Amino acid sequence: MRSGNRNCPENPADTLNDPPEIFTDEYFMRAALREAEKAEMNHEVPVGAVAVKDSMIVARAWNQVELLQDATAHAEILALTALAAQQGDWRMDGVTLYVTKEPCAMCAGALVNARVERVVYGFADPRSGCCGSALDITGFPGMLHQVKVTGGVLELECAEQFKEFFRKVRSGELPKKSVSGPKHGELQ
């Protein structure tokens, strides 16, 4: 007999291993946004990433290109590297990576090579996003692995954080350093 409460399953054992509904794409994207805030506080392009496995955050990172003086120090790469070191394996089976901006070619290639199961990004990058916008590296049929892609999660919040950072750089509120921003007409 079915309970009158719509939230109670007929057989409670059916949901025993299901993650609580709190752990949604939006929940994990908010964690990535907090990482992006760390980047901005350090005058880095505000992109943040979190790696999730079994509904738990297992690695976090934010862009550190200027800090490390390393063009490859994107949030996605740093999160994958941290997780590989932690688990002692470069294979990211069952991992979802949440990132505030659509990954570039380098990061999308790393997601494929690391066998990440899924990438979830905040806002698309029509000029250099490689999860389906400018290119589709993550779904290219010739690759040995395809990464599932979900875009547009908390899109407005992620895009606004990015735009606001470059507004501050242009106005002189933040030092320019070597920060290169969007080209004319993009996310301004």
Side-chain angles (χ1 to χ4, degrees), residues 1 6 13 15 20 25 30-32 50 57 65 71 90 124 132 140 159 168 183-184:
M1 185 166 161
R6 290 177 32 193
T15 61
D25 286 347
R30 289 197 191 287
V50 295
I57 296 175
V65 171
W90 59 268
F140 187 72
K168 289 177 183 175
K183 302 297 181 221
H184 176 71

Side-chain angles (χ1 to χ4, degrees), residues 33-44:
L33 277 163
R34 288 190 293 276
E35 293 302 307
E37 288 172 12
K38 293 176 188 176
E40 185 170 0
M41 288 188 310
N42 285 278
H43 307 295
E44 296 277 354

Side-chain angles (χ1 to χ4, degrees), residues 87-107:
Q87 68 183 14
D89 191 358
W90 59 268
R91 294 167 192 85
M92 302 290 150
D93 299 322
V95 171
T96 297
L97 188 78
Y98 291 83
V99 61
T100 55
K101 178 183 171 294
E102 182 180 6
C104 68
M106 173 184 69
C107 294

Side-chain angles (χ1 to χ4, degrees), residues 55-70:
S55 298
M56 294 182 60
I57 296 175
V58 290
R60 303 169 182 268
W62 43 276
N63 270 6
Q64 296 178 42
V65 171
E66 297 298 329
L67 179 69
L68 300 175
Q69 289 297 293
D70 179 354

